[in-house]
Amino acid sequence: ETKETGASLAAKLATSHLHQIKMSRLIPPPYQRRNLPLQATQAISQHTDTLFALRDIAQNLPSKASALSTVAVTKTVRSAVEALYDVIPSLSEYTSSGGRGRMMMRGPGQGAPFFFFVNGRLIPVQRPSFNVFELLDILRQEDDILFQLESAFKGYPVGALEAVRDILEGSDSTGTSEDDDDEEDDDEEDDEEPPLRIDVGRGGRQAILYVNDIEKDARYRSWSRSVMPLMFGGQFGPPSIRRNLFTFLIAYDPFSSKPLPPALMFGMELMQNGFPVRLGLLFISDNDTNNSNDNDGSSSLKQDIDSSSLSLSGRATIKDVHTLFFEMLKEDGFLAFSFLLNYHEQLSSSIAISREELVKMYLDFMKMASQSRNARSAAASHDILNKPDEAANSSFKAGIKFANDKGIPSGATFINGRPIPVVVNDNAEEEATKRVRMIFQEEMMILAEMVQEQRLTDDKPRSVYAMILSGKNLFETFHPMLLEEPKYTIMESGGSLTSLMSVNPDSTANFDVSSFETVITVEALLDMTTEIGQACATAIREYMESSDFHNFVRDNKIDVAYRIRPNVLGIDNGGKGGIDSTLPEDVIVVNGRVLGPARMLVTPTLKMDIATDIRIGITLELVQSKITSRLLREHFSSSPDLHDAVFKVNGFLGEQTSSDIERIGVEQQLKTLVPQNSPIHYLWNHHQIGSNLDGKRKLRVKVTVLMDPLSEASQRASPLLITIRDQLKIPLRLVLAPRINIKNDDKSMPISSFYRFVSESNGETMALFQHLPTNHVLTLKMDVPEQWDVQQVFAIQDTDNLRCESGKNSCGDDTEKVAQTPDNGKDRVSRDVTKVEYGLKGLLFFGQCYETETRTPPTGLQFTLANPNNFLTTNTPGSSSEVPGMEILADGSQVLGDAVKFPRGNKDVESPDIFSDTLVMTNLGYWQIKANPGVWDLSIAQGSRGSEMYGISVNGTSKPTKTLVMKDFVNRPIYLNVIRKPGFEDTELLDESTDTSSSLSGSLIPATEDEEVIHVFSLATGHLYERFLKIMMLSVTKRTSVRVKFWLFENFLSPLFKSSALAMADAIGCDIEFVTYKWPEWLRGQSEKQRIIWGYKILFLDVLFPLSVKRIIYVDADQVVRGDLKELWDMDLEGNVYGYTPFCDSRETTLGYQFWRTGFWKSHLRGKPYHISALYVVDLQLFRQQAVGDKLRGTYQQLSADPNSLSNLDQDLPNYAQHEVPIFSLPQEWLWCESWCSDATKPQSKTIDLCNNPMHKEPKLTMAKRVIQGELFDESWVELDEEVKSYELSTEYRSYVD
């Protein structure tokens, strides 16, 4: 084959200005763009600097595409890419199962793949929330971990340290070189140890009460038995299969003070969403399971009867709740389950109720559920409790016996027999919920593998649950260790390594260590001066020498050694002598994992208990220990050395991996599967690894990237890679994975934008765009992290409509200034330079908020953010406050210094300390609030209904405030929990019967108002619409009989507009406040700027304005108002949250363009009118109280999944949602549009909207001058425009331009 020379390629990609202009006009047609990713890869592979070529092509593709389309792709490059997609499936799908992760890539013709790893940690560079400061933090964290690794294992060979690092990164490879035989990997699949399960299925027939049965209940009759939907992993909706695929078991104590288990709430959510989840309940308390002499539950039954005294006044028992639940199960399982949820919500904080109260709950619930056939008197219900049928008695007794036989404690939860560990930390419930979801996803994957292997088909097995609860790693009984968060230690060896006692099941004196797959060391630290210490030592030695343990060791190919070390009481080790001072005095450690304190008492079951502890401990560590043993074996020749190394390394790895950090062993996988000499595989700085460059460090952080060079993510990542390679000198591996072809029906370019990434780390302090195409309209958009509020602070030109036409002398800022000066700038020099400056205006706190008990969002709960040091003292809108300079230290403490200025928040707040406010959404409990660097107090709004009902959970205690620290530019999500106050357990925060002025207001309402103010909301983008916006504001102010305050959405407004609008407001007597909100990442985004604006217009009305604003009128920028908005402000919306004007139908010539008269819209509206969104009025109090914002966002999220829906987002959304959120139809005269309304109705119009005519195109300015003139208007549009221009000649505005 003929390889294209670098010189010819350089000619094709020449960056001369004339060539750029020529080629940029020639965007290749779709059929020539099919191979662009491959052609880009070819061009990059032949460049002298791969990363610079990658950045140049990715960030300038519209101008490079024509040249690239002529590049011939060599067979070498094409074959390398095809080979990559062949081996990628062997990397398998990404999963965190077993502490290991893998990648998942799309097919060669699908979406662009992108993966960015730091030591195996997947970094979301492609997501909107990506923050370069977060990447720097991660690099520092990873370097610190490697430093700890080297410090912990001083003296280890570099190869051993590298092996430990490979394990830490998630690698499970054998560590062999690329030239090793394939046989070395034959047993790699053996590492996939099945998850540990408890057999909670067999023996529980009567004991467990199942709410539902997918295979038997009539409600699932329409579900198919086909198991194929499991193969799609829920991508196309829930796999509604009529099989009991997922069995959730909850050991439920109805009188526990703990919140409902996350597994119970998640299981209910899955059932509601159509997943094949079977939910079982086991009614027990800790008293039942702690009574070792009462396995049949007889004494518990007797105690229940005695305590109740067979009277309604007696105390209710677990058996009573079980009996009522059992009775309702006969009617309907979901009814019984709903009763339990209702019962739990009504429990008082004392968690003790009488039988009479329980019966009342039951009767009230049944009445509410309209189950008249079950309506009973209190006496009849009492009979059910005192004289339950034999089946209920037997079930309760069987439950207690089952729990005792299996060792199941109250509160334990299982998914398909897998116990859910208990998390104990500040975010315990959030972490527990994450863990439940993770285990469920893993079970989905396991079942999918069973389908793929034909072990699970449409007809077999008869019981999926029985098949799952079989095989390896199945335990008959539960062990408390399974619910505990694992604790690890790096414990130095005590004494000589030769003191290790080897367990040799083959009874040979010398054995080959390499014949064992896994090395396990059991270390016991015991106080040998006590009876229990001596008894534990004897039990350990006997179990290690037992035939049962030898069989276990032989079957699992484990090389086990053990050692019993004295831990004498009264000796303070202080962390010295190799013993971890944080460990209990008597403890057993298995390969670094602490099994907990040894048994405290000498009991008849001590030997059996010790044996179970050790066996489960080994089982839990088997997978990780097997990997560690295999990778370290070649570095340690003797058995004692290997045992010691595996023991300590496993402890170190356990400490590191017990965090939430997930890793994928991608470095080793790509190294093995992609040849190093491949034209798509690049390495930099790898020669430094292990070279001990600074005389101390041997391990370096590694960055591994796999990407399609023509993806939006590559635009952002390529300059980062240059910094990583050249400035940070970090070892970097890059694999290019271009799509082999782009679909014929994809008419868009792979990348349609020019892009620049600004980072001072690579010396770039500004984004410079050069040689842009002419005769194209370009729009400038900032790409910033979600939590940053970035606004334009300087711009002369319209950044929405940047255009440089061929033949013009100049098209830069100076040309714009020349046109704006009275003398036309005859003496000024023009340049083709456009300058735009942006500033970081503020940062955001954001996160989720839930009630502690129910794990539901407290919808509508209001938060305020205040500075605890009373730094902020002024309330002037748009002003700044002088604040003592502040450095935030790592621990959150403050160091005061020179004064700095911070911009003020909303002025409509009563307290000078309140900086901003917000409320909690139903959607994910999401909230965000504006802030600046410093220490802040987050509080529930004082005086609001929420402050009466809730406190903020701080370390589990209800507090009025929570301290938040904005100390860096990363600011991760904050999870808030709120606790209901006594007496408000059943109170609704948003209760329609409650006066909204008390439920959604509080201290944010100004105490007095000197005059009535009407609040008007609007938004615009681009100089043309900003011009229209000022004319609209002028017409509103002139026609409205009271003072007007305009709330303008700041995100898209130019600095020129903001400067001139403030000057105009002072002159005409109105107020202006700029508001902003960051589109949450979880809400499906829009890529087109117009659709983003439409979204902001409707999706965030509940959180966009201060909570003190009770009503708002939206007016489109291109309207002129003829009427008094006071009339609209005072209009009775008749209980509706908002009012819109219906589309006119009086102009017959355009009726055929009204799409809502036919098809889908006609059917959906069912006679309701279709309204125009150019003007509407919103009762914000009612809007917030009824959580309408959440309803609209939910509907939007559902509909926007189809890119062809919501063509007119701001208009289609409220019209579509009319059946859920009714619209009050405003009188027709409130909006007149020439396109739809007849000329005869124009004299009655109160606003004129310049909407587009579907029959013909007409420039907006031309339309405005034609329509807004004549005797109907006090001033024509031209006169209004001239008045606005007069304000633009103010000193403040002119100084800005100059």
Side-chain angles (χ1 to χ4, degrees):
E1 65 186 70
T2 303
K3 188 170 183 178
E4 192 169 8
T5 65
S8 64
L9 185 65
K12 290 183 178 179
L13 297 177
T15 57
S16 70
H17 185 53
L18 291 177
H19 186 76
Q20 287 286 318
I21 292 176
K22 176 182 177 182
M23 300 307 289
S24 64
R25 298 175 184 170
L26 301 174
I27 299 297
Y31 73 91
Q32 290 184 2
R33 301 202 294 258
R34 295 185 70 244
N35 292 320
L36 274 181
L38 271 176
Q39 291 167 318
T41 303
Q42 178 71 50
I44 292 168
S45 69
Q46 294 183 258
H47 200 278
T48 55
D49 192 314
T50 302
L51 294 184
F52 276 94
L54 172 63
R55 183 183 65 177
D56 186 38
I57 292 174
Q59 294 190 346
N60 300 287
L61 183 63
S63 291
K64 304 286 186 181
S66 184
L68 281 176
S69 66
T70 65
V71 172
V73 180
T74 64
K75 184 178 180 181
T76 302
V77 169
R78 184 179 293 273
S79 298
V81 174
E82 291 174 348
L84 174 66
Y85 280 99
D86 286 339
V87 300
I88 284 298
S90 67
L91 298 179
S92 186
E93 293 185 345
Y94 167 71
T95 173
S96 58
S97 177
R100 298 158 50 186
R102 296 176 182 266
M103 292 191 303
M104 178 176 63
M105 275 185 58
R106 294 167 174 165
Q110 300 178 27
F114 181 86
F115 297 98
F116 191 113
F117 299 97
V118 174
N119 277 4
R121 292 175 65 174
L122 184 60
I123 312 300
V125 174
Q126 74 278 17
R127 294 175 59 183
S129 60
F130 170 73
N131 189 323
V132 69
F133 290 97
E134 183 176 3
L135 175 60
L136 293 174
D137 279 351
I138 291 174
L139 290 171
R140 293 190 190 101
Q141 292 170 18
E142 292 302 309
D143 186 63
D144 184 60
I145 290 173
L146 295 181
F147 176 76
Q148 293 177 40
L149 193 160
E150 289 193 50
S151 301
F153 304 109
K154 291 180 179 178
Y156 277 30
V158 174
L161 294 177
E162 286 288 342
V164 177
R165 194 263 285 282
D166 288 343
I167 302 170
L168 183 63
E169 290 181 7
S171 172
D172 59 354
S173 70
T174 61
T176 55
S177 67
E178 299 172 20
D179 298 328
D180 288 340
D181 295 333
D182 293 337
E183 286 78 2
E184 294 289 341
D185 296 324
D186 287 346
D187 295 330
E188 188 169 346
E189 291 185 1
D190 293 341
D191 290 339
E192 295 291 347
E193 286 282 328
L196 189 149
R197 302 182 193 270
I198 307 299
D199 189 357
V200 290
R202 297 169 182 85
R205 183 180 297 277
Q206 280 187 299
I208 300 171
L209 300 183
Y210 287 105
V211 171
N212 62 327
D213 190 313
I214 308 294
E215 297 172 3
K216 296 179 180 179
D217 292 353
R219 61 167 45 92
Y220 304 110
R221 188 181 295 116
S222 62
W223 289 16
S224 169
R225 284 183 61 87
S226 172
V227 295
M228 286 309 296
L230 285 170
M231 299 300 295
F232 303 114
Q235 295 182 46
F236 304 105
S240 299
I241 303 167
R242 197 172 189 192
R243 305 287 293 278
N244 291 319
L245 298 179
F246 306 99
T247 298
F248 283 53
L249 175 61
I250 315 295
Y252 177 61
D253 180 355
F255 296 104
S256 171
S257 60
K258 299 176 182 177
L260 290 173
L264 180 64
M265 306 307 295
F266 182 57
M268 179 179 65
E269 177 186 331
L270 291 172
M271 288 193 299
Q272 291 173 342
N273 291 330
F275 283 82
V277 169
R278 180 174 60 161
L279 181 61
L281 295 174
L282 180 64
F283 285 79
I284 57 168
S285 70
D286 288 335
N287 289 334
D288 297 325
T289 54
N290 289 338
N291 191 343
S292 59
N293 298 319
D294 182 33
N295 284 351
D296 64 355
S298 57
S299 63
S300 180
L301 281 172
K302 183 177 183 299
Q303 181 182 1
D304 285 347
I305 294 174
D306 291 342
S307 63
S308 67
S309 301
L310 297 179
S311 67
L312 288 176
S313 60
R315 181 172 176 174
T317 64
I318 293 179
K319 181 177 180 297
D320 292 332
V321 181
H322 171 276
T323 300
L324 291 178
F325 184 81
F326 188 92
E327 187 71 18
M328 282 186 281
L329 272 181
K330 298 175 182 178
E331 300 292 334
D332 185 277
F334 282 92
L335 177 72
F337 184 58
S338 298
F339 166 71
L340 275 191
L341 295 177
N342 182 72
Y343 158 83
H344 193 85
E345 289 178 2
Q346 294 189 51
L347 274 184
S348 64
S349 58
S350 65
I351 69 170
I353 61 173
S354 68
R355 303 181 102 207
E356 183 177 7
E357 291 172 317
L358 177 62
V359 168
K360 185 178 184 302
M361 286 183 190
Y362 169 71
L363 293 176
D364 290 344
F365 174 79
M366 298 303 283
K367 182 178 179 181
M368 178 183 66
S370 301
Q371 299 288 334
S372 58
R373 62 183 181 277
N374 288 328
R376 295 183 172 91
S377 66
S381 301
H382 187 216
D383 287 341
I384 296 175
L385 297 182
N386 288 336
K387 300 177 182 179
D389 60 29
E390 188 57 34
N393 263 335
S394 299
S395 173
F396 185 67
K397 291 176 65 176
I400 295 176
K401 185 177 187 304
F402 181 77
N404 277 287
D405 290 345
K406 297 291 183 180
I408 301 174
S410 169
T413 57
F414 305 84
I415 298 179
N416 284 354
R418 295 179 63 176
I420 310 298
V422 175
V423 181
V424 182
N425 57 36
D426 292 340
N427 296 315
E429 295 190 32
E430 287 79 9
E431 297 300 327
T433 300
K434 289 180 183 178
R435 191 158 298 185
V436 170
R437 293 178 181 273
M438 180 189 73
I439 289 178
F440 179 77
Q441 290 295 328
E442 291 174 2
E443 288 299 294
M444 285 265 289
M445 296 178 64
I446 290 171
L447 289 172
E449 291 176 3
M450 290 181 177
V451 174
Q452 193 171 14
E453 296 166 0
Q454 294 293 303
R455 291 190 290 141
L456 175 59
T457 68
D458 298 350
D459 303 314
K460 65 177 187 180
R462 186 173 65 86
S463 172
V464 177
Y465 197 35
M467 180 180 71
I468 292 174
L469 295 181
S470 61
K472 198 174 180 181
N473 283 355
L474 179 72
F475 285 80
E476 289 295 322
T477 59
F478 179 80
H479 194 283
M481 194 188 308
L482 304 176
L483 286 183
E484 299 169 355
E485 276 286 283
K487 175 177 172 57
Y488 291 88
T489 180
I490 309 176
M491 192 167 58
E492 293 291 341
S493 301
S496 171
L497 292 178
T498 58
S499 63
L500 282 171
M501 302 290 293
S502 177
V503 175
N504 185 2
D506 294 327
S507 300
T508 56
N510 298 309
F511 52 88
D512 183 8
V513 175
S514 63
S515 66
F516 295 88
E517 291 185 350
T518 311
V519 172
I520 296 284
T521 303
V522 178
E523 188 117 17
L525 279 74
L526 304 172
D527 181 2
M528 302 304 293
T529 65
T530 64
E531 181 185 5
I532 182 63
Q534 296 171 13
C536 287
T538 301
I540 293 170
R541 183 182 294 270
E542 289 184 1
Y543 179 60
M544 290 294 177
E545 303 301 332
S546 69
S547 60
D548 181 52
F549 185 66
H550 286 184
N551 291 334
F552 172 70
V553 167
R554 184 183 299 108
D555 292 343
N556 289 278
K557 300 181 179 179
I558 308 174
D559 173 17
V560 178
Y562 71 97
R563 175 170 42 212
I564 300 174
R565 297 166 55 186
N567 186 15
V568 181
L569 286 172
I571 296 179
D572 182 11
N573 293 292
K576 300 178 181 180
I579 299 177
D580 188 340
S581 61
T582 65
L583 295 179
E585 291 169 340
D586 289 348
V587 69
I588 300 174
V589 183
V590 174
N591 268 16
R593 178 167 183 157
V594 181
L595 303 191
R599 301 290 166 164
M600 305 302 295
L601 299 173
V602 179
T603 64
T605 61
L606 177 65
K607 292 183 179 181
M608 183 176 65
D609 293 339
I610 291 287
T612 303
D613 291 349
I614 294 174
R615 183 163 179 171
I616 288 184
I618 291 176
T619 302
L620 290 173
E621 290 305 304
L622 199 56
V623 173
Q624 185 61 66
S625 297
K626 184 183 293 186
I627 298 170
T628 306
S629 302
R630 186 172 55 200
L631 292 182
L632 291 181
R633 178 172 287 115
E634 64 180 277
H635 304 288
F636 297 92
S637 57
S638 71
S639 175
D641 288 338
L642 181 59
H643 273 277
D644 182 62
V646 172
F647 182 89
K648 290 193 290 187
V649 167
N650 228 54
F652 174 82
L653 294 173
E655 287 183 337
Q656 299 299 328
T657 58
S658 59
S659 65
D660 293 331
I661 298 174
E662 294 182 352
R663 300 179 187 271
I664 302 175
V666 63
E667 173 74 15
Q668 189 65 33
Q669 295 178 53
L670 288 178
K671 178 181 177 181
T672 304
L673 296 172
V674 183
Q676 189 167 330
N677 61 354
S678 169
I680 60 173
H681 190 181
Y682 303 91
L683 292 172
W684 295 276
N685 300 330
H686 273 250
H687 64 282
Q688 300 175 6
I689 297 178
S691 58
N692 205 11
L693 291 180
D694 58 2
K696 298 180 181 179
R697 300 296 302 277
K698 300 177 181 179
L699 300 180
R700 302 289 308 279
V701 175
K702 294 180 184 178
V703 174
T704 305
V705 180
L706 185 145
M707 69 163 75
D708 184 332
L710 297 191
S711 64
E712 291 185 356
S714 65
Q715 291 184 310
R716 186 188 286 175
S718 53
L720 290 174
L721 298 184
I722 293 175
T723 301
I724 288 169
R725 181 192 66 179
D726 297 343
Q727 270 72 45
L728 302 180
K729 306 292 185 182
I730 291 176
L732 171 62
R733 183 186 304 274
L734 171 65
V735 176
L736 296 180
R739 287 159 288 178
I740 293 179
N741 58 68
I742 300 175
K743 295 179 180 179
N744 287 325
D745 57 354
D746 188 354
K747 298 180 180 180
S748 61
M749 288 275 288
I751 304 174
S752 58
S753 63
F754 298 91
Y755 188 95
R756 299 293 184 270
F757 189 91
V758 180
S759 171
E760 290 190 9
S761 62
N762 56 19
E764 298 175 358
T765 57
M766 68 176 180
L768 179 62
F769 293 87
Q770 292 179 297
H771 310 312
L772 294 172
T774 58
N775 299 324
H776 288 269
V777 176
L778 303 175
T779 298
L780 186 62
K781 176 185 174 184
M782 286 290 286
D783 176 24
V784 299
E786 180 183 356
Q787 62 269 36
W788 291 14
D789 178 15
V790 173
Q791 305 288 348
Q792 278 188 10
V793 296
F794 179 88
I796 298 297
Q797 297 204 54
D798 184 355
T799 55
D800 264 17
N801 298 281
L802 294 170
R803 182 184 180 94
C804 191
E805 298 181 8
S806 300
K808 288 181 62 175
N809 292 330
S810 180
C811 46
D813 283 349
D814 288 339
T815 303
E816 187 76 13
K817 292 180 183 179
V818 167
Q820 293 173 358
T821 53
D823 61 355
N824 291 326
K826 294 178 181 178
D827 298 328
R828 304 177 71 170
V829 178
S830 300
R831 296 175 56 213
D832 289 334
V833 176
T834 296
K835 179 182 178 182
V836 182
E837 290 183 9
Y838 288 86
L840 180 62
K841 184 178 179 182
L843 297 167
L844 296 178
F845 289 118
F846 67 100
Q848 294 175 271
C849 178
Y850 289 96
E851 291 192 35
T852 302
E853 287 291 327
T854 63
R855 304 312 303 155
T856 57
T859 304
L861 184 64
Q862 306 157 54
F863 287 119
T864 59
L865 194 70
N867 191 296
N869 296 310
N870 298 318
F871 287 158
L872 306 179
T873 57
T874 65
N875 261 335
T876 306
S879 70
S880 61
S881 298
E882 196 166 88
V883 179
M886 181 190 311
E887 180 184 358
I888 308 300
L889 303 181
D891 60 357
S893 60
Q894 307 173 56
V895 177
L896 301 180
D898 297 333
V900 296
K901 287 189 176 183
F902 284 154
R904 285 294 304 154
N906 299 318
K907 84 162 191 176
D908 285 89
V909 294
E910 181 180 345
S911 169
D913 294 334
I914 294 178
F915 184 80
S916 54
D917 55 45
T918 191
L919 56 79
V920 177
M921 298 179 180
T922 297
N923 314 115
L924 304 177
Y926 180 80
W927 60 276
Q928 69 169 243
I929 196 166
K930 292 181 290 186
N932 275 316
V935 179
W936 301 89
D937 279 345
L938 183 75
S939 308
I940 299 174
Q942 294 181 9
S944 68
R945 184 177 176 84
S947 66
E948 299 174 359
M949 293 176 55
Y950 295 100
I952 302 176
S953 177
V954 179
N955 297 324
T957 304
S958 179
K959 299 288 185 181
T961 63
K962 181 180 178 69
T963 301
L964 303 180
V965 181
M966 185 72 74
K967 60 183 179 181
D968 55 36
F969 294 104
V970 178
N971 189 26
R972 297 165 184 84
I974 298 171
Y975 299 98
L976 297 175
N977 291 318
V978 292
I979 302 173
R980 284 182 179 262
K981 295 180 179 179
F984 290 93
E985 291 82 5
D986 303 322
T987 306
E988 294 291 334
L989 178 61
L990 301 181
D991 188 347
E992 294 186 15
S993 63
T994 305
D995 180 13
T996 58
S997 63
S998 63
S999 63
L1000 282 168
S1001 57
S1003 62
L1004 300 183
I1005 306 175
T1008 60
E1009 290 186 350
D1010 296 333
E1011 57 180 333
E1012 185 175 5
V1013 177
I1014 289 176
H1015 299 277
V1016 176
F1017 170 48
S1018 194
L1019 41 70
T1021 183
H1023 285 186
L1024 175 62
Y1025 274 84
E1026 289 177 347
R1027 183 177 176 184
F1028 282 123
L1029 178 56
K1030 282 186 278 192
I1031 291 173
M1032 182 274 286
M1033 294 167 59
L1034 181 61
S1035 70
V1036 168
T1037 305
K1038 283 175 173 287
R1039 306 292 169 246
T1040 303
S1041 58
V1042 297
R1043 192 169 183 86
V1044 179
K1045 177 164 185 176
F1046 291 97
W1047 298 86
L1048 305 180
F1049 193 67
E1050 186 177 14
N1051 291 32
F1052 307 108
L1053 294 174
S1054 70
L1056 277 172
F1057 171 85
K1058 286 185 278 189
S1059 176
S1060 61
L1062 289 171
M1064 186 182 81
D1066 290 339
I1068 66 177
C1070 66
D1071 297 316
I1072 293 178
E1073 182 120 4
F1074 301 106
V1075 291
T1076 185
Y1077 197 80
K1078 294 290 288 187
W1079 194 297
E1081 186 180 6
W1082 55 263
L1083 189 66
R1084 186 173 290 106
Q1086 296 289 332
S1087 56
E1088 296 179 19
K1089 193 169 188 179
Q1090 184 58 58
R1091 293 183 63 80
I1092 296 173
I1093 293 172
W1094 285 344
Y1096 277 117
K1097 182 176 169 181
I1098 186 64
L1099 290 174
F1100 308 108
L1101 294 174
D1102 51 343
V1103 290
L1104 195 54
F1105 312 102
L1107 299 172
S1108 57
V1109 178
K1110 306 301 188 344
R1111 181 174 280 219
I1112 201 86
I1113 297 174
Y1114 175 83
V1115 184
D1116 252 356
D1118 60 346
Q1119 284 190 66
V1120 172
V1121 176
R1122 297 180 65 238
D1124 187 348
L1125 288 190
K1126 179 71 164 59
E1127 179 184 344
L1128 185 59
W1129 181 263
D1130 293 335
M1131 187 171 293
D1132 182 8
L1133 299 182
E1134 300 179 0
N1136 295 287
V1137 296
Y1138 44 43
Y1140 287 73
T1141 306
F1143 262 86
C1144 287
D1145 56 6
S1146 56
R1147 188 171 293 278
E1148 296 184 0
T1149 55
T1150 57
L1151 289 179
Y1153 293 93
Q1154 296 189 346
F1155 57 85
W1156 54 91
R1157 292 177 169 272
T1158 60
F1160 164 79
W1161 276 105
K1162 181 180 180 180
S1163 172
H1164 178 76
L1165 291 174
R1166 300 200 295 268
K1168 294 181 181 293
Y1170 185 88
H1171 302 80
I1172 190 169
S1173 63
L1175 177 140
Y1176 54 84
V1177 57
V1178 185
D1179 183 337
L1180 286 177
Q1181 281 188 267
L1182 200 58
F1183 189 94
R1184 293 166 179 147
Q1185 184 188 41
Q1186 296 183 7
V1188 174
D1190 294 302
K1191 296 174 183 176
L1192 292 176
R1193 286 185 289 269
T1195 303
Y1196 162 80
Q1197 191 77 343
Q1198 175 188 356
L1199 296 179
S1200 61
D1202 178 4
N1204 297 317
S1205 69
L1206 298 176
S1207 299
N1208 303 290
L1209 194 161
D1210 60 319
Q1211 201 161 261
D1212 287 348
L1213 182 59
N1215 279 289
Y1216 179 89
Q1218 278 191 81
H1219 302 298
E1220 184 180 11
V1221 185
I1223 296 175
F1224 176 78
S1225 295
L1226 300 175
Q1228 194 68 65
E1229 64 265 18
W1230 273 104
L1231 197 142
W1232 186 92
C1233 170
E1234 185 184 54
S1235 300
W1236 312 104
C1237 306
S1238 66
D1239 294 337
T1241 59
K1242 187 174 182 180
Q1244 291 79 43
S1245 63
K1246 297 182 178 179
T1247 67
I1248 306 293
D1249 186 66
L1250 300 174
C1251 53
N1252 296 324
N1253 193 308
M1255 300 181 65
H1256 58 81
K1257 299 285 186 180
E1258 182 179 13
K1260 280 279 185 179
L1261 284 177
T1262 304
M1263 182 193 302
K1265 295 173 183 178
R1266 178 179 58 78
V1267 174
I1268 313 297
Q1269 64 170 338
E1271 60 184 13
L1272 294 179
F1273 301 92
D1274 294 330
E1275 302 99 352
S1276 67
W1277 191 91
V1278 173
E1279 291 171 325
L1280 291 171
D1281 190 38
E1282 288 299 322
E1283 185 173 350
V1284 166
K1285 287 181 179 179
S1286 68
Y1287 303 121
E1288 292 178 351
L1289 297 177
S1290 67
T1291 302
E1292 181 181 359
Y1293 176 81
R1294 290 310 315 164
S1295 63
Y1296 174 85
V1297 175
D1298 292 337

